[in-house]
PDB file of all heavy atoms in Angstrom:
ATOM      1  N   GLY A 552      40.115  20.566 -32.274  1.00  0.00           N
ATOM      2  CA  GLY A 552      40.150  19.556 -33.271  1.00  0.00           C
ATOM      3  C   GLY A 552      41.143  19.827 -34.357  1.00  0.00           C
ATOM      4  O   GLY A 552      41.809  19.046 -34.899  1.00  0.00           O
ATOM      5  N   ASP A 553      41.188  21.197 -34.785  1.00  0.00           N
ATOM      6  CA  ASP A 553      42.149  21.618 -35.807  1.00  0.00           C
ATOM      7  C   ASP A 553      43.502  21.452 -35.405  1.00  0.00           C
ATOM      8  O   ASP A 553      44.409  20.899 -36.120  1.00  0.00           O
ATOM      9  CB  ASP A 553      41.913  23.095 -36.183  1.00  0.00           C
ATOM     10  CG  ASP A 553      40.540  23.312 -36.880  1.00  0.00           C
ATOM     11  OD1 ASP A 553      40.007  22.264 -37.401  1.00  0.00           O
ATOM     12  OD2 ASP A 553      40.045  24.329 -36.905  1.00  0.00           O
ATOM     13  N   LEU A 554      43.828  21.667 -34.127  1.00  0.00           N
ATOM     14  CA  LEU A 554      45.158  21.466 -33.642  1.00  0.00           C
ATOM     15  C   LEU A 554      45.632  20.056 -33.550  1.00  0.00           C
ATOM     16  O   LEU A 554      46.743  19.650 -33.904  1.00  0.00           O
ATOM     17  CB  LEU A 554      45.266  22.098 -32.204  1.00  0.00           C
ATOM     18  CG  LEU A 554      46.711  22.295 -31.682  1.00  0.00           C
ATOM     19  CD1 LEU A 554      47.633  23.244 -32.519  1.00  0.00           C
ATOM     20  CD2 LEU A 554      46.630  22.817 -30.208  1.00  0.00           C
ATOM     21  N   ILE A 555      44.593  19.189 -33.150  1.00  0.00           N
ATOM     22  CA  ILE A 555      44.862  17.833 -33.140  1.00  0.00           C
ATOM     23  C   ILE A 555      45.135  17.253 -34.506  1.00  0.00           C
ATOM     24  O   ILE A 555      46.142  16.422 -34.678  1.00  0.00           O
ATOM     25  CB  ILE A 555      43.531  16.980 -32.531  1.00  0.00           C
ATOM     26  CG1 ILE A 555      43.517  17.308 -31.048  1.00  0.00           C
ATOM     27  CG2 ILE A 555      43.737  15.505 -32.658  1.00  0.00           C
ATOM     28  CD1 ILE A 555      42.240  16.821 -30.462  1.00  0.00           C
ATOM     29  N   ASP A 556      44.480  17.626 -35.448  1.00  0.00           N
ATOM     30  CA  ASP A 556      44.654  17.076 -36.868  1.00  0.00           C
ATOM     31  C   ASP A 556      45.911  17.658 -37.456  1.00  0.00           C
ATOM     32  O   ASP A 556      46.711  16.900 -38.088  1.00  0.00           O
ATOM     33  CB  ASP A 556      43.562  17.633 -37.758  1.00  0.00           C
ATOM     34  CG  ASP A 556      42.262  16.781 -37.596  1.00  0.00           C
ATOM     35  OD1 ASP A 556      42.324  15.612 -37.073  1.00  0.00           O
ATOM     36  OD2 ASP A 556      41.126  17.118 -38.217  1.00  0.00           O
ATOM     37  N   ILE A 557      46.394  18.895 -37.160  1.00  0.00           N
ATOM     38  CA  ILE A 557      47.564  19.472 -37.626  1.00  0.00           C
ATOM     39  C   ILE A 557      48.657  18.659 -37.064  1.00  0.00           C
ATOM     40  O   ILE A 557      49.733  18.186 -37.674  1.00  0.00           O
ATOM     41  CB  ILE A 557      47.759  20.922 -37.279  1.00  0.00           C
ATOM     42  CG1 ILE A 557      46.759  21.789 -38.191  1.00  0.00           C
ATOM     43  CG2 ILE A 557      49.188  21.477 -37.570  1.00  0.00           C
ATOM     44  CD1 ILE A 557      46.733  23.313 -37.812  1.00  0.00           C
ATOM     45  N   PHE A 558      48.649  18.357 -35.760  1.00  0.00           N
ATOM     46  CA  PHE A 558      49.694  17.527 -35.119  1.00  0.00           C
ATOM     47  C   PHE A 558      49.799  16.245 -35.682  1.00  0.00           C
ATOM     48  O   PHE A 558      50.894  15.646 -35.788  1.00  0.00           O
ATOM     49  CB  PHE A 558      49.450  17.607 -33.634  1.00  0.00           C
ATOM     50  CG  PHE A 558      50.531  16.915 -32.822  1.00  0.00           C
ATOM     51  CD1 PHE A 558      51.723  17.584 -32.539  1.00  0.00           C
ATOM     52  CD2 PHE A 558      50.397  15.635 -32.304  1.00  0.00           C
ATOM     53  CE1 PHE A 558      52.706  16.922 -31.831  1.00  0.00           C
ATOM     54  CE2 PHE A 558      51.342  15.087 -31.543  1.00  0.00           C
ATOM     55  CZ  PHE A 558      52.474  15.676 -31.303  1.00  0.00           C
ATOM     56  N   SER A 559      48.664  15.547 -35.921  1.00  0.00           N
ATOM     57  CA  SER A 559      48.677  14.236 -36.457  1.00  0.00           C
ATOM     58  C   SER A 559      49.186  14.180 -37.871  1.00  0.00           C
ATOM     59  O   SER A 559      49.940  13.169 -38.268  1.00  0.00           O
ATOM     60  CB  SER A 559      47.171  13.643 -36.478  1.00  0.00           C
ATOM     61  OG  SER A 559      46.406  14.361 -37.345  1.00  0.00           O
ATOM     62  N   ILE A 560      48.957  15.186 -38.656  1.00  0.00           N
ATOM     63  CA  ILE A 560      49.550  15.339 -40.040  1.00  0.00           C
ATOM     64  C   ILE A 560      51.075  15.340 -39.934  1.00  0.00           C
ATOM     65  O   ILE A 560      51.801  14.648 -40.726  1.00  0.00           O
ATOM     66  CB  ILE A 560      48.866  16.463 -40.852  1.00  0.00           C
ATOM     67  CG1 ILE A 560      47.417  16.223 -41.081  1.00  0.00           C
ATOM     68  CG2 ILE A 560      49.752  16.742 -42.013  1.00  0.00           C
ATOM     69  CD1 ILE A 560      46.764  17.378 -41.750  1.00  0.00           C
ATOM     70  N   LEU A 561      51.582  16.150 -38.976  1.00  0.00           N
ATOM     71  CA  LEU A 561      52.938  16.270 -38.892  1.00  0.00           C
ATOM     72  C   LEU A 561      53.740  15.024 -38.377  1.00  0.00           C
ATOM     73  O   LEU A 561      54.625  14.578 -39.047  1.00  0.00           O
ATOM     74  CB  LEU A 561      53.276  17.448 -37.912  1.00  0.00           C
ATOM     75  CG  LEU A 561      52.878  18.821 -38.339  1.00  0.00           C
ATOM     76  CD1 LEU A 561      53.199  19.878 -37.197  1.00  0.00           C
ATOM     77  CD2 LEU A 561      53.440  19.269 -39.521  1.00  0.00           C
ATOM     78  N   THR A 562      53.156  14.346 -37.462  1.00  0.00           N
ATOM     79  CA  THR A 562      53.702  13.087 -36.926  1.00  0.00           C
ATOM     80  C   THR A 562      53.658  11.983 -38.093  1.00  0.00           C
ATOM     81  O   THR A 562      54.605  11.231 -38.169  1.00  0.00           O
ATOM     82  CB  THR A 562      53.019  12.633 -35.666  1.00  0.00           C
ATOM     83  OG1 THR A 562      51.577  12.640 -35.970  1.00  0.00           O
ATOM     84  CG2 THR A 562      53.265  13.655 -34.551  1.00  0.00           C
ATOM     85  N   THR A 563      52.482  11.931 -38.767  1.00  0.00           N
ATOM     86  CA  THR A 563      52.322  10.915 -39.791  1.00  0.00           C
ATOM     87  C   THR A 563      53.287  11.268 -40.966  1.00  0.00           C
ATOM     88  O   THR A 563      54.040  10.298 -41.392  1.00  0.00           O
ATOM     89  CB  THR A 563      50.910  10.813 -40.457  1.00  0.00           C
ATOM     90  OG1 THR A 563      50.122  10.732 -39.359  1.00  0.00           O
ATOM     91  CG2 THR A 563      50.837   9.969 -41.448  1.00  0.00           C
ATOM     92  N   LEU A 564      53.585  12.436 -41.248  1.00  0.00           N
ATOM     93  CA  LEU A 564      54.546  12.844 -42.373  1.00  0.00           C
ATOM     94  C   LEU A 564      55.920  12.382 -41.964  1.00  0.00           C
ATOM     95  O   LEU A 564      56.644  11.828 -42.828  1.00  0.00           O
ATOM     96  CB  LEU A 564      54.474  14.294 -42.593  1.00  0.00           C
ATOM     97  CG  LEU A 564      55.427  14.997 -43.602  1.00  0.00           C
ATOM     98  CD1 LEU A 564      55.097  14.347 -45.039  1.00  0.00           C
ATOM     99  CD2 LEU A 564      55.465  16.466 -43.637  1.00  0.00           C
ATOM    100  N   PHE A 565      56.308  12.716 -40.757  1.00  0.00           N
ATOM    101  CA  PHE A 565      57.746  12.347 -40.375  1.00  0.00           C
ATOM    102  C   PHE A 565      57.867  10.853 -40.295  1.00  0.00           C
ATOM    103  O   PHE A 565      58.994  10.358 -40.620  1.00  0.00           O
ATOM    104  CB  PHE A 565      57.972  13.006 -38.932  1.00  0.00           C
ATOM    105  CG  PHE A 565      57.955  14.489 -39.018  1.00  0.00           C
ATOM    106  CD1 PHE A 565      57.534  15.309 -37.858  1.00  0.00           C
ATOM    107  CD2 PHE A 565      58.272  15.265 -40.104  1.00  0.00           C
ATOM    108  CE1 PHE A 565      57.541  16.601 -37.742  1.00  0.00           C
ATOM    109  CE2 PHE A 565      58.266  16.650 -40.195  1.00  0.00           C
ATOM    110  CZ  PHE A 565      57.856  17.325 -39.040  1.00  0.00           C
ATOM    111  N   GLY A 566      56.922  10.224 -39.786  1.00  0.00           N
ATOM    112  CA  GLY A 566      57.010   8.694 -39.789  1.00  0.00           C
ATOM    113  C   GLY A 566      57.098   8.086 -41.189  1.00  0.00           C
ATOM    114  O   GLY A 566      57.891   7.213 -41.461  1.00  0.00           O
ATOM    115  N   VAL A 567      56.233   8.483 -42.158  1.00  0.00           N
ATOM    116  CA  VAL A 567      56.231   8.152 -43.547  1.00  0.00           C
ATOM    117  C   VAL A 567      57.523   8.422 -44.235  1.00  0.00           C
ATOM    118  O   VAL A 567      58.123   7.604 -44.917  1.00  0.00           O
ATOM    119  CB  VAL A 567      55.033   8.613 -44.310  1.00  0.00           C
ATOM    120  CG1 VAL A 567      55.161   8.287 -45.776  1.00  0.00           C
ATOM    121  CG2 VAL A 567      53.727   7.985 -43.701  1.00  0.00           C
ATOM    122  N   CYS A 568      58.062   9.610 -43.952  1.00  0.00           N
ATOM    123  CA  CYS A 568      59.360   9.979 -44.550  1.00  0.00           C
ATOM    124  C   CYS A 568      60.431   9.159 -44.157  1.00  0.00           C
ATOM    125  O   CYS A 568      61.323   8.780 -44.914  1.00  0.00           O
ATOM    126  CB  CYS A 568      59.553  11.492 -44.286  1.00  0.00           C
ATOM    127  SG  CYS A 568      58.433  12.705 -45.206  1.00  0.00           S
ATOM    128  N   THR A 569      60.424   8.840 -42.840  1.00  0.00           N
ATOM    129  CA  THR A 569      61.476   7.979 -42.368  1.00  0.00           C
ATOM    130  C   THR A 569      61.421   6.511 -42.961  1.00  0.00           C
ATOM    131  O   THR A 569      62.483   6.071 -43.446  1.00  0.00           O
ATOM    132  CB  THR A 569      61.292   7.811 -40.782  1.00  0.00           C
ATOM    133  OG1 THR A 569      61.293   9.108 -40.189  1.00  0.00           O
ATOM    134  CG2 THR A 569      62.395   6.877 -40.192  1.00  0.00           C
ATOM    135  N   SER A 570      60.298   5.936 -43.114  1.00  0.00           N
ATOM    136  CA  SER A 570      60.155   4.658 -43.736  1.00  0.00           C
ATOM    137  C   SER A 570      60.469   4.730 -45.189  1.00  0.00           C
ATOM    138  O   SER A 570      61.205   3.889 -45.777  1.00  0.00           O
ATOM    139  CB  SER A 570      58.757   4.154 -43.583  1.00  0.00           C
ATOM    140  OG  SER A 570      58.404   3.971 -42.248  1.00  0.00           O
ATOM    141  N   LEU A 571      60.029   5.830 -45.902  1.00  0.00           N
ATOM    142  CA  LEU A 571      60.424   5.896 -47.278  1.00  0.00           C
ATOM    143  C   LEU A 571      61.904   6.084 -47.430  1.00  0.00           C
ATOM    144  O   LEU A 571      62.428   5.572 -48.500  1.00  0.00           O
ATOM    145  CB  LEU A 571      59.635   7.189 -47.887  1.00  0.00           C
ATOM    146  CG  LEU A 571      59.837   7.472 -49.324  1.00  0.00           C
ATOM    147  CD1 LEU A 571      59.400   6.322 -50.146  1.00  0.00           C
ATOM    148  CD2 LEU A 571      59.153   8.767 -49.718  1.00  0.00           C
ATOM    149  N   GLY A 572      62.598   6.877 -46.649  1.00  0.00           N
ATOM    150  CA  GLY A 572      64.008   7.079 -46.700  1.00  0.00           C
ATOM    151  C   GLY A 572      64.762   5.761 -46.520  1.00  0.00           C
ATOM    152  O   GLY A 572      65.677   5.435 -47.250  1.00  0.00           O
ATOM    153  N   LEU A 573      64.330   4.964 -45.488  1.00  0.00           N
ATOM    154  CA  LEU A 573      64.996   3.686 -45.212  1.00  0.00           C
ATOM    155  C   LEU A 573      64.740   2.820 -46.437  1.00  0.00           C
ATOM    156  O   LEU A 573      65.654   2.022 -46.954  1.00  0.00           O
ATOM    157  CB  LEU A 573      64.486   3.018 -43.992  1.00  0.00           C
ATOM    158  CG  LEU A 573      64.804   3.834 -42.707  1.00  0.00           C
ATOM    159  CD1 LEU A 573      64.138   3.131 -41.510  1.00  0.00           C
ATOM    160  CD2 LEU A 573      66.316   3.842 -42.459  1.00  0.00           C
ATOM    161  N   GLY A 574      63.464   2.704 -46.958  1.00  0.00           N
ATOM    162  CA  GLY A 574      63.276   1.870 -48.150  1.00  0.00           C
ATOM    163  C   GLY A 574      64.002   2.168 -49.295  1.00  0.00           C
ATOM    164  O   GLY A 574      64.485   1.415 -50.117  1.00  0.00           O
ATOM    165  N   THR A 575      64.210   3.543 -49.536  1.00  0.00           N
ATOM    166  CA  THR A 575      64.943   4.097 -50.690  1.00  0.00           C
ATOM    167  C   THR A 575      66.425   3.655 -50.588  1.00  0.00           C
ATOM    168  O   THR A 575      67.022   3.215 -51.594  1.00  0.00           O
ATOM    169  CB  THR A 575      64.820   5.628 -50.765  1.00  0.00           C
ATOM    170  OG1 THR A 575      63.512   5.971 -50.888  1.00  0.00           O
ATOM    171  CG2 THR A 575      65.660   6.248 -52.004  1.00  0.00           C
ATOM    172  N   MET A 576      67.025   3.734 -49.379  1.00  0.00           N
ATOM    173  CA  MET A 576      68.429   3.320 -49.261  1.00  0.00           C
ATOM    174  C   MET A 576      68.512   1.812 -49.600  1.00  0.00           C
ATOM    175  O   MET A 576      69.529   1.418 -50.096  1.00  0.00           O
ATOM    176  CB  MET A 576      68.895   3.682 -47.890  1.00  0.00           C
ATOM    177  CG  MET A 576      69.128   5.193 -47.575  1.00  0.00           C
ATOM    178  SD  MET A 576      69.893   5.605 -46.051  1.00  0.00           S
ATOM    179  CE  MET A 576      68.701   5.117 -44.923  1.00  0.00           C
ATOM    180  N   GLN A 577      67.550   1.107 -49.046  1.00  0.00           N
ATOM    181  CA  GLN A 577      67.537  -0.394 -49.366  1.00  0.00           C
ATOM    182  C   GLN A 577      67.563  -0.664 -50.869  1.00  0.00           C
ATOM    183  O   GLN A 577      68.322  -1.490 -51.370  1.00  0.00           O
ATOM    184  CB  GLN A 577      66.313  -1.041 -48.724  1.00  0.00           C
ATOM    185  CG  GLN A 577      66.443  -1.383 -47.297  1.00  0.00           C
ATOM    186  CD  GLN A 577      65.264  -2.142 -46.719  1.00  0.00           C
ATOM    187  OE1 GLN A 577      64.319  -1.487 -46.266  1.00  0.00           O
ATOM    188  NE2 GLN A 577      65.204  -3.378 -46.868  1.00  0.00           N
ATOM    189  N   VAL A 578      66.619  -0.021 -51.537  1.00  0.00           N
ATOM    190  CA  VAL A 578      66.410  -0.206 -53.019  1.00  0.00           C
ATOM    191  C   VAL A 578      67.759   0.198 -53.743  1.00  0.00           C
ATOM    192  O   VAL A 578      68.232  -0.516 -54.655  1.00  0.00           O
ATOM    193  CB  VAL A 578      65.248   0.500 -53.529  1.00  0.00           C
ATOM    194  CG1 VAL A 578      65.229   0.510 -55.103  1.00  0.00           C
ATOM    195  CG2 VAL A 578      63.961  -0.036 -52.977  1.00  0.00           C
ATOM    196  N   ASN A 579      68.319   1.279 -53.372  1.00  0.00           N
ATOM    197  CA  ASN A 579      69.596   1.778 -53.965  1.00  0.00           C
ATOM    198  C   ASN A 579      70.700   0.843 -53.765  1.00  0.00           C
ATOM    199  O   ASN A 579      71.392   0.474 -54.679  1.00  0.00           O
ATOM    200  CB  ASN A 579      69.893   3.151 -53.421  1.00  0.00           C
ATOM    201  CG  ASN A 579      70.939   3.892 -54.237  1.00  0.00           C
ATOM    202  OD1 ASN A 579      71.371   4.918 -53.911  1.00  0.00           O
ATOM    203  ND2 ASN A 579      71.381   3.319 -55.341  1.00  0.00           N
ATOM    204  N   LYS A 580      70.865   0.349 -52.483  1.00  0.00           N
ATOM    205  CA  LYS A 580      71.804  -0.633 -52.212  1.00  0.00           C
ATOM    206  C   LYS A 580      71.686  -1.935 -52.966  1.00  0.00           C
ATOM    207  O   LYS A 580      72.605  -2.588 -53.451  1.00  0.00           O
ATOM    208  CB  LYS A 580      71.938  -0.955 -50.743  1.00  0.00           C
ATOM    209  CG  LYS A 580      73.033  -1.676 -50.255  1.00  0.00           C
ATOM    210  CD  LYS A 580      74.425  -0.904 -50.509  1.00  0.00           C
ATOM    211  CE  LYS A 580      75.503  -1.663 -49.898  1.00  0.00           C
ATOM    212  NZ  LYS A 580      76.865  -0.993 -50.165  1.00  0.00           N
ATOM    213  N   GLY A 581      70.357  -2.389 -53.053  1.00  0.00           N
ATOM    214  CA  GLY A 581      70.027  -3.628 -53.772  1.00  0.00           C
ATOM    215  C   GLY A 581      70.459  -3.546 -55.357  1.00  0.00           C
ATOM    216  O   GLY A 581      70.912  -4.483 -55.939  1.00  0.00           O
ATOM    217  N   LEU A 582      70.072  -2.322 -55.843  1.00  0.00           N
ATOM    218  CA  LEU A 582      70.366  -2.129 -57.297  1.00  0.00           C
ATOM    219  C   LEU A 582      71.869  -2.171 -57.515  1.00  0.00           C
ATOM    220  O   LEU A 582      72.366  -2.628 -58.556  1.00  0.00           O
ATOM    221  CB  LEU A 582      69.663  -0.854 -57.762  1.00  0.00           C
ATOM    222  CG  LEU A 582      68.147  -0.925 -57.734  1.00  0.00           C
ATOM    223  CD1 LEU A 582      67.695   0.495 -58.225  1.00  0.00           C
ATOM    224  CD2 LEU A 582      67.602  -1.932 -58.793  1.00  0.00           C
ATOM    225  N   ASN A 583      72.557  -1.582 -56.578  1.00  0.00           N
ATOM    226  CA  ASN A 583      74.028  -1.496 -56.687  1.00  0.00           C
ATOM    227  C   ASN A 583      74.610  -2.894 -56.602  1.00  0.00           C
ATOM    228  O   ASN A 583      75.559  -3.241 -57.231  1.00  0.00           O
ATOM    229  CB  ASN A 583      74.597  -0.603 -55.582  1.00  0.00           C
ATOM    230  CG  ASN A 583      76.120  -0.613 -55.592  1.00  0.00           C
ATOM    231  OD1 ASN A 583      76.815  -1.242 -54.785  1.00  0.00           O
ATOM    232  ND2 ASN A 583      76.774   0.172 -56.459  1.00  0.00           N
ATOM    233  N   TYR A 584      73.978  -3.698 -55.765  1.00  0.00           N
ATOM    234  CA  TYR A 584      74.502  -5.098 -55.618  1.00  0.00           C
ATOM    235  C   TYR A 584      74.221  -5.913 -56.982  1.00  0.00           C
ATOM    236  O   TYR A 584      75.099  -6.703 -57.360  1.00  0.00           O
ATOM    237  CB  TYR A 584      73.775  -5.754 -54.485  1.00  0.00           C
ATOM    238  CG  TYR A 584      74.238  -7.272 -54.312  1.00  0.00           C
ATOM    239  CD1 TYR A 584      75.295  -7.542 -53.441  1.00  0.00           C
ATOM    240  CD2 TYR A 584      73.370  -8.267 -54.679  1.00  0.00           C
ATOM    241  CE1 TYR A 584      75.715  -8.820 -53.315  1.00  0.00           C
ATOM    242  CE2 TYR A 584      73.762  -9.679 -54.448  1.00  0.00           C
ATOM    243  CZ  TYR A 584      74.905  -9.906 -53.815  1.00  0.00           C
ATOM    244  OH  TYR A 584      75.270 -11.150 -53.518  1.00  0.00           O
TER     245      TYR A 584
END
Side-chain angles (χ1 to χ4, degrees):
D553 294 338
L554 192 63
I555 292 172
D556 280 348
I557 291 174
F558 185 75
S559 66
I560 289 174
L561 297 178
T562 53
T563 304
L564 175 68
F565 297 150
V567 171
C568 288
T569 302
S570 299
L571 182 61
L573 293 174
T575 300
M576 291 189 292
Q577 276 185 268
V578 173
N579 192 186
K580 189 67 176 179
L582 293 175
N583 175 259
Y584 179 81

